Amino acid sequence: MKKELDKAYDPKQFEDRIYRMWREKGCFHAEVDPQKEPYTIVIPPPNITGQLHMGHALDNTLQDILIRYRRMQGYSALWVPGVDHASIATEAKIVEAMKEEGLTKEDVGREGFLSRAWEWKEKYGTRITDQLKKMGSSLDWDRERFTMDEGCSEAVKEVFVRLYNEGLIYRGERIINWCPHCKTSISDAEVEYEEQAGHFWHLRYPLSDGSGSVELATTRPETMLGDTAVAVNPDDGRYRHLVGKMLRLPLTDREIPIVADSYVDMEFGTGVVKITPAHDPNDFEVGLRHHLPVINIMTEDAHMNGLCGVYTGLDRYEARKRIVADLDAQGYLVRVEDHTHNVGTCYRCGSVVEPRVSKQWFVKMEPLAKPAIDCVRNGDVKFIPERFDKVYFNWMENIRDWCISRQLWWGHRIPAYYCDACGEMTVSKDAVTACPKCGAPVHQDEDTLDTWFSSALWPFSTLGWPEKTPEFDYFYPTSTLVTGYDIIFFWVARMIFSGLKYTGKPPFHTVFIHGIVRDEQGRKMSKSLGNGIDPLEVIDRYGADALRFMLATGNSPGNDMRYSEEKVKSSRNFANKLWNACRFIMMNLSDEITEASLPDVLTVEDKWVLSRFNDVVKEMTENLDKFELGIALSKIYDFIWDVYCDWYIELSKPRMQAGGETAENAQKVLLYVMQGMLKLLHPFMPFITEEIWQVLPTGGQDTIMLADWPVYDDGLCFAQEAADFEKVISAIRGIRNRRAEMNVPPSKKAKVYIETREPQLFGQMGAFFERLAGASAIETAASYSFESAVTVVTDAARIFIPLDDLIDKDKERARLVKEQAAVQRDIEAVSKKLSNEGFLAKAPQNVVEQEKEKLSRHQERLAKIEESLKAL
RNA sequence: GGGGGCAUGGCUCAGUUGGUUAGAGCGCUCGCUUCACAUGCGAGAGGUCGAUGGUUCGAGUCCAUCUGUCCCUACCA
C-alpha cells in the first residue's frame, strides 16, 4: 500500500512526531567508537533563566547543520547539550521573586536561598532545552550537563586549587567594578560603556597656607569627599612650585597634598586632577605610587557612608546635587560645563558601576594569555571569519587580571577557608574543618566564582575532565565552537586559555562566529524595545524547517542579519515545493520500485540531471567543509527548485504518460535524485526531509539522519550529455520567450522547425518541445528557408515557427537587427580580449580556451541571425 | 584615541582562491485555474557593484585615499 501525502505541507503534523522518533531510535547519541573519527561540538550553554530567542535559534541551527552533516558523513558526531547556572542573572531573578513575598536574601539565609535557587533550576532549567528540541537540535540528551553539576563543580575546584598553588590565582585588595544594584563585583568584561550627557564641574581648592588656590575639573563632584590628593604633571611649569604643598579640601576639615604624576595630561582641562583612590581606577594607581590613603566614602549600594558627615545616607546622585550646591554657596564652584562621557554600566542590570576598593580574588592573566595568543597565531585555533583573530589578539594582548569573586550565593563557592583563630587561609578541593596550622575552627569564603569561570571549562568539564574518561580521550579537543561575536571575550577567549592551561590542548580547532539577528528594521532585538521575535511563534506558524532555512540562507559568517517574516514565508514555500515534488513522485511511482536504483538505460535528460546533481554534491560538500553554509544551502535550493522541479519533473511527465519501461526508468531517476537531494538538504531542514524519506521507498533505511552523505560519483559525470541537453533547454527557453513576446496564447500550438547540426539530439526531444514550448510537432533539418516565420536563434540551432497570421516582418527585422547588434558587441569584446597579447601570454590556458569557444559560438550565432535577416 | 564591519537593481541580502553576459528572495509588469504545487507556472523590466586613484592581460573581488553608516575597544579627570 502506497503511502500518501497531504496536499499541502503542514509541518505541525509531523515535526514533534519525527523528533520523538529520532530520540526513541537513539539517533542523537554518539559513542566512543575507535572505528570512526570523532566530531564534537559543545553547545554554548544557555542560561537557566533564559528563553529561546532568535540568537539561540541561529546559533543552534548552525550547530545542528554541522553536526548532522558530519554524522551523515560517518563521524561519531557528538553535540553536547547543557545549561549554565548564570549566577548573577539567576540570583537577581530569585531575589526579585522573594521581594514579592516581602523577603530578602538575609531573611532566608544562605541555605534557604540556595534551596530556592535549586528549585528554580528544576523548574526552569528544562524550559530552554525543551525549546531547543522544537528547533530540531540533534543534541545527545544522554550527555546533558549543567555548569553546577557534580562533575563541573569538581572541575572548577580542581582548576581553582591548581591555579592557586601555582600562584596564578591570588586574593588582594584592589579597585574593582562594583554593581550597586547586584551588590557584587563584576569583571571588566561585564561592564558596558555608554555615552551619557553629564557636566564638568570646575572646582577651586584653596592652598592651606592661604596663598591662593588651584582649579580643577571633575565629572563626579561627590567623590571629592574621598579625595586624598590633587595631582599635576611633573613637567607642568604652571604648577611645579606647588608640588608638595597642602590644600584644604572644601566641605571637610582635611588637608591633602599636591603630588606630581605623569598620568596627568597637561593639555586637558586645567592640568590639575583630584585624586580619589577609592573610587576611580586611575586614581587608585596614582594613590599606590604616592602612598596616598584610600578613603571609601560609599556603602555597597552606592549611598554616602558614615564618613560623609551631613551627606551620610544620601544616594550618590542626591549627594552630588547637595555637594555642588554647597560648594557653590561657599565659593568653591567656579563654573559648570556640559560634557558627555562614557559611563560604565552593569551588563546585567544596567546600573552605573561604581569603582570600589575591596578584597577580591583574581586570576593572573599574563602567563595564561601568552600561549592563548600563540595558538591562534600559529593556526591551532582558527577563527571563521578570520578577521576575528584581530579582535581576539587585541583583547588578549591588553588583558588585565580577571576578578573572579562575586558577592553572590548562587554559584561555585570559593574553596578557601579562613581560620577563626590565627587567620590562616587554606585553599583545598576537599572541605576543610579545622585549621591545619592551629587546629581551630575555620569558615569558608563567602563568595562564589564568576559564572564564566565554570563556562571557561565547559569543553572539557562536560567530557569528564579532570577524570581520565574515554569520552575525554576520544572527543577532546572538540572540533568546532559556534558562537556569536558578542561573547568572544566573555567565553571564547577564556575557554582557549583554560583549555591550554589545564588540558595542554586548545579546546577546539575552529571557532565559527556568527552575527546577531536584528529585527526587520535592522535594530537589535531587545526586551526594552519589545521588538523581539519569538522563534517558537515562528515555528508554530511556519515550522522549524522554515525558520532554520531562513536563518541559514544568505547568512555569511560573522555578519549580522535581519529577521524578516517574508523570508520565513519563502522558506516555507520552498518546503511546500519540495513536499509537492514528493507527492508527484508518489502519485506516479510504480509499486515495483522499492528502493532508489538507476535504470540500465539513461536518456540524455537523465544524464543531464544526474550530472547536475553530481556537481551539486561536490560543491556543497566543499562549501560545508569551508563553513560556507549559506552558499551550500543556496545550491541545493536552486537545484531542487530550478533543475529538479522546473525541468526534470516537467520532462518526466510525457515519459510517465508513455508508460511502460519509459515511465519506470523516469521514475527510478526521479526517486534516485530525490533521495540524494533530501540527504543534501537534511542538515538544513531535518524534519521535512525525514518525513518525506519515511514515505519514499528507501530499501529499509529507516531514517535519513543516518543515511550516507552523497559523494561525488565519477560514474555519474556526463559532461557531454549535460552540455547537449543545455542546448535543448535554451531552445525551449528561446521559443517560450518569443511566444510570450508576441503574446501567443498558450493554447495556440504551432509546428516547430529546428535547423541544427545535431538533428539526432533535437530529433528525440519532440515530446519536450510539445509539452514545454507549445509545439504541435517538431521537425529537424540541416537547413530551412522560410519566407515568413518567427525565428529563434540559439548557439546550437535556428528555430522557425510559422505563425503566419502573427508575423509582422518589420518588427521581426527590427528584433533581429537588435539581436545582431548585441551579438556584435559580444564579439567585439571577446575579440578585443583575444587580440590582447598580454591576455594570451599571461591568462591561464583554460581561460583563453573559454574565450575562444565563446567567440566561435557568438560568430555562429551571428551568422544565423544574418542569414535570417537576408531571408526577410 | 585605536580597530573592524557594511555600502551590489525598489527592499533584504548572496557573490567561495581576481577569469563567461554580476545572482537570489520579496516587490513590479505581462500571460497562465497546464492532470505535484496559485505556498504555483511561463516570460520580462530593473544594477556605470559608494567615490577617486592604483596593482593586473583582466577588479564587485586585491591595495591606497575619501564619503556615508554601524559596531567593538580604550583609564583622559
Side-chain angles (χ1 to χ4, degrees):
Chain A
M1 185 62 195
K2 240 191 293 189
K3 293 183 216 170
E4 278 185 23
L5 293 178
D6 293 341
K7 187 169 179 199
Y9 163 70
D10 179 10
K12 266 195 199 161
Q13 301 294 319
F14 56 85
E15 290 192 347
D16 289 343
R17 166 169 51 79
I18 297 260
Y19 198 85
R20 238 178 291 127
M21 178 204 83
W22 285 330
R23 285 200 73 184
E24 279 159 16
K25 284 190 201 281
C27 296
F28 301 159
H29 185 65
E31 267 304 322
V32 172
D33 181 352
Q35 305 298 107
K36 293 179 173 180
E37 287 280 311
Y39 182 84
T40 319
I41 297 178
V42 291
I43 196 172
N47 292 348
I48 50 172
T49 56
Q51 297 213 54
L52 192 78
H53 54 63
M54 275 299 165
H56 294 123
L58 172 63
D59 192 51
N60 285 282
T61 295
L62 299 177
Q63 290 173 74
D64 199 41
I65 291 166
L66 294 173
I67 209 87
R68 283 179 185 270
Y69 166 58
R70 294 301 179 184
R71 194 183 286 118
M72 289 174 79
Q73 278 192 325
Y75 289 80
S76 185
L78 170 61
W79 187 14
V80 182
V83 288
D84 193 289
H85 65 283
S87 63
I88 196 167
T90 308
E91 182 147 337
K93 291 241 174 187
I94 296 165
V95 167
E96 209 173 293
M98 289 197 310
K99 206 171 168 187
E100 310 247 306
E101 298 175 46
L103 292 170
T104 66
K105 271 167 77 176
E106 286 68 30
D107 292 338
V108 296
R110 188 163 193 139
E111 291 306 313
F113 182 83
L114 287 179
S115 75
R116 278 167 187 262
W118 279 104
E119 269 172 42
W120 175 284
K121 193 261 165 187
E122 291 314 316
K123 196 168 167 193
Y124 294 109
T126 53
R127 182 173 58 185
I128 186 109
T129 49
D130 287 345
Q131 293 170 334
L132 290 174
K133 290 169 186 165
K134 295 290 279 185
M135 293 288 309
S137 312
S138 61
L139 289 148
D140 186 351
W141 296 108
D142 300 341
R143 299 185 188 277
E144 184 176 352
R145 299 298 300 269
F146 175 50
T147 49
M148 270 172 73
D149 67 21
E150 216 177 302
C152 290
S153 302
E154 192 61 22
V156 165
K157 279 189 272 183
E158 174 77 23
V159 163
F160 189 94
V161 172
R162 271 165 69 166
L163 288 182
Y164 176 78
N165 289 337
E166 284 186 55
L168 292 174
I169 280 185
Y170 63 90
R171 191 175 187 229
E173 187 118 326
R174 293 294 173 90
I175 190 152
I176 45 88
N177 306 296
W178 180 268
C179 174
H181 179 257
C182 303
K183 292 185 197 164
T184 177
S185 56
I186 55 178
S187 68
D188 295 342
E190 287 166 317
V191 179
E192 279 176 357
Y193 287 88
E194 64 180 54
E195 204 152 83
Q196 285 187 1
H199 300 284
F200 238 155
W201 284 273
H202 287 253
L203 309 179
R204 195 170 58 77
Y205 283 10
L207 285 152
S208 298
D209 60 13
S211 63
S213 63
V214 294
E215 186 186 322
L216 51 82
T218 178
T219 54
R220 301 199 53 198
E222 70 281 10
T223 64
M224 64 152 307
L225 298 177
D227 285 359
T228 55
V230 155
V232 296
N233 191 292
D235 299 330
D236 194 333
R238 291 173 294 176
Y239 302 114
R240 196 170 291 146
H241 64 287
L242 294 177
V243 173
K245 290 201 171 182
M246 299 300 281
L247 294 166
R248 196 164 49 74
L249 185 62
L251 308 185
T252 70
D253 51 11
R254 287 197 289 118
E255 289 201 336
I256 57 173
I258 298 174
V259 300
D261 196 288
S262 56
Y263 152 70
V264 180
D265 180 354
M266 286 186 277
E267 311 294 316
F268 191 81
T270 59
V272 183
V273 184
K274 66 192 259 322
I275 302 297
T276 322
H279 295 282
D280 182 282
N282 296 308
D283 294 6
F284 183 77
E285 297 295 324
V286 174
L288 285 180
R289 286 197 284 274
H290 298 274
H291 311 289
L292 299 173
V294 176
I295 302 178
N296 182 355
I297 56 162
M298 282 187 214
T299 60
E300 58 179 29
D301 57 354
H303 285 59
M304 308 311 283
N305 70 13
L307 298 175
C308 299
V310 296
Y311 308 105
T312 298
L314 293 177
D315 169 79
R316 52 186 165 171
Y317 297 115
E318 186 56 31
R320 177 179 298 176
K321 280 187 208 157
R322 296 272 294 271
I323 287 170
V324 168
D326 290 347
L327 286 168
D328 193 16
Q330 294 177 29
Y332 297 116
L333 180 66
V334 181
R335 63 197 161 96
V336 185
E337 282 172 17
D338 286 339
H339 180 68
T340 57
H341 57 145
N342 273 339
V343 177
T345 58
C346 171
Y347 86 126
R348 275 296 162 206
C349 71
S351 310
V352 173
V353 164
E354 190 60 49
R356 183 182 167 93
V357 174
S358 66
K359 205 166 206 183
Q360 302 286 349
W361 289 89
F362 297 88
V363 175
K364 203 174 191 174
M365 286 309 304
E366 209 197 323
L368 294 170
K370 176 85 176 56
I373 290 167
D374 292 343
C375 81
V376 173
R377 194 149 274 151
N378 68 23
D380 290 348
V381 173
K382 277 174 76 169
F383 281 93
I384 291 179
E386 249 174 52
R387 63 171 188 271
F388 286 102
D389 50 17
K390 272 187 206 141
V391 177
Y392 172 82
F393 289 140
N394 192 279
W395 191 73
M396 274 293 191
E397 281 161 4
N398 298 300
I399 196 162
R400 297 194 300 170
D401 287 355
W402 175 17
C403 176
I404 50 170
S405 45
R406 296 288 179 275
Q407 288 64 55
L408 301 168
W409 285 346
W410 177 239
H412 300 278
R413 194 163 174 181
I414 291 175
Y417 303 81
Y418 309 99
C419 176
D420 296 334
C422 72
E424 173 77 1
M425 179 174 76
T426 313
V427 169
S428 161
K429 273 183 82 172
D430 304 312
V432 174
T433 48
C435 176
K437 200 171 165 194
C438 72
V442 296
H443 63 274
Q444 187 173 0
D445 198 302
E446 295 294 324
D447 290 352
T448 54
L449 289 165
D450 182 1
T451 294
W452 298 99
F453 191 89
S454 56
S455 318
L457 318 180
W458 188 246
F460 41 99
S461 64
T462 51
L463 294 173
W465 190 92
E467 301 291 315
K468 276 295 267 178
T469 61
E471 281 79 6
F472 178 76
D473 279 345
Y474 182 75
F475 289 113
Y476 189 86
T478 68
S479 311
T480 307
L481 182 90
V482 181
T483 195
Y485 59 68
D486 47 336
I487 59 170
I488 293 178
F489 303 138
F490 281 115
W491 195 42
V492 180
R494 286 167 177 167
M495 277 190 288
I496 293 177
F497 69 69
S498 301
L500 286 167
K501 177 67 186 170
Y502 317 128
T503 72
K505 292 172 189 168
F508 28 70
H509 301 299
T510 306
V511 184
F512 182 40
I513 302 281
H514 60 252
I516 59 173
V517 185
R518 298 174 171 277
D519 74 358
E520 306 214 21
Q521 290 141 62
R523 299 172 304 179
K524 210 165 169 172
M525 290 186 185
S526 74
K527 265 184 208 153
S528 52
L529 275 175
N531 61 342
I533 303 284
D534 183 354
L536 297 168
E537 275 177 29
V538 178
I539 290 172
D540 191 54
R541 217 165 323 152
Y542 299 101
D545 284 332
L547 175 62
R548 291 169 61 115
F549 188 99
M550 188 283 286
L551 291 167
T553 195
N555 180 7
S556 54
N559 289 346
D560 291 351
M561 63 182 304
R562 283 184 206 213
Y563 171 82
S564 131
E565 181 155 349
E566 288 309 312
K567 280 194 261 180
V568 184
K569 270 188 196 163
S570 359
S571 306
R572 187 271 321 267
N573 292 354
F574 171 63
N576 185 61
K577 185 78 183 172
L578 178 65
W579 183 263
N580 276 288
C582 174
R583 282 185 66 223
F584 173 79
I585 293 186
M586 291 313 292
M587 282 174 182
N588 290 287
L589 198 65
S590 147
D591 292 330
E592 308 298 310
I593 299 175
T594 57
E595 63 181 325
S597 65
L598 290 173
D600 300 328
V601 181
L602 293 171
T603 64
V604 177
E605 70 274 17
D606 291 339
K607 290 181 176 174
W608 167 77
V609 78
L610 289 166
S611 221
R612 293 286 304 263
F613 174 71
N614 210 20
D615 291 341
V616 171
V617 168
K618 186 177 174 196
E619 290 172 25
M620 263 189 94
T621 305
E622 285 169 5
N623 290 139
L624 288 172
D625 287 345
K626 289 191 279 183
F627 295 92
E628 294 162 356
L629 273 44
I631 296 173
L633 181 53
S634 77
K635 283 183 182 158
I636 187 62
Y637 173 93
D638 289 344
F639 181 83
I640 290 175
W641 203 308
D642 303 339
V643 176
Y644 190 87
C645 292
D646 286 350
W647 283 98
Y648 193 73
I649 284 185
E650 293 308 320
L651 296 166
S652 76
K653 286 177 181 173
R655 296 170 73 187
M656 294 299 175
Q657 280 169 352
E661 206 177 336
T662 309
E664 199 159 299
N665 286 352
Q667 290 162 25
K668 283 182 179 169
V669 179
L670 275 170
L671 181 63
Y672 179 90
V673 178
M674 169 62 87
Q675 289 194 4
M677 298 184 329
L678 290 174
K679 289 185 200 173
L680 294 179
L681 186 63
H682 177 258
F684 300 90
M685 302 183 104
F687 291 113
I688 185 178
T689 49
E690 181 72 270
E691 179 69 359
I692 294 176
W693 187 266
Q694 296 295 322
V695 171
L696 297 175
T698 53
Q701 287 193 66
D702 56 0
T703 169
I704 194 172
M705 262 195 76
L706 305 177
D708 292 335
W709 183 256
V711 289
Y712 183 79
D713 184 347
D714 285 324
L716 294 183
C717 176
F718 305 105
Q720 185 59 51
E721 287 89 343
D724 282 348
F725 197 73
E726 293 291 343
K727 294 173 191 167
V728 176
I729 287 177
S730 57
I732 291 172
R733 283 214 172 109
I735 296 168
R736 283 172 171 174
N737 178 335
R738 295 272 19 232
R739 288 178 59 109
E741 231 173 69
M742 299 174 65
N743 290 319
V744 181
S747 55
K748 184 172 174 100
K749 308 286 178 191
K751 191 161 177 188
V752 167
Y753 298 85
I754 302 171
E755 177 189 288
T756 173
R757 286 195 213 142
E758 298 165 274
Q760 72 292 350
L761 170 66
F762 285 91
Q764 61 186 311
M765 300 295 165
F768 301 150
F769 280 88
E770 285 162 30
R771 180 161 196 105
L772 305 175
S776 56
I778 68 162
E779 196 186 293
T780 62
S783 174
Y784 284 108
S785 86
F786 281 89
E787 288 262 317
S788 161
V790 175
T791 314
V792 176
V793 175
T794 72
D795 291 339
R798 196 150 65 113
I799 298 160
F800 302 96
I801 314 166
L803 288 164
D804 301 324
D805 45 332
L806 293 173
I807 301 289
D808 176 331
K809 283 198 179 186
D810 291 335
K811 269 191 189 167
E812 191 71 7
R813 188 177 294 110
R815 190 185 60 77
L816 281 168
V817 166
K818 210 172 139 193
E819 255 182 73
Q820 182 189 32
V823 178
Q824 273 166 342
R825 271 198 305 278
D826 289 343
I827 289 177
E828 229 169 277
V830 180
S831 306
K832 201 175 154 195
K833 246 187 190 179
L834 284 170
S835 60
N836 182 336
E837 280 177 37
F839 176 74
L840 292 173
K842 293 186 182 171
Q845 200 52 40
N846 64 320
V847 175
V848 177
E849 283 307 314
Q850 269 175 30
E851 292 299 315
K852 284 183 180 165
E853 275 169 38
K854 209 197 296 178
L855 182 64
S856 70
R857 266 206 321 270
H858 288 327
Q859 281 167 339
E860 235 172 278
R861 230 176 120 205
L862 182 65
K864 287 179 207 145
I865 292 169
E866 281 168 352
E867 215 170 305
S868 294
L869 272 172
K870 237 180 268 168
L872 271 174

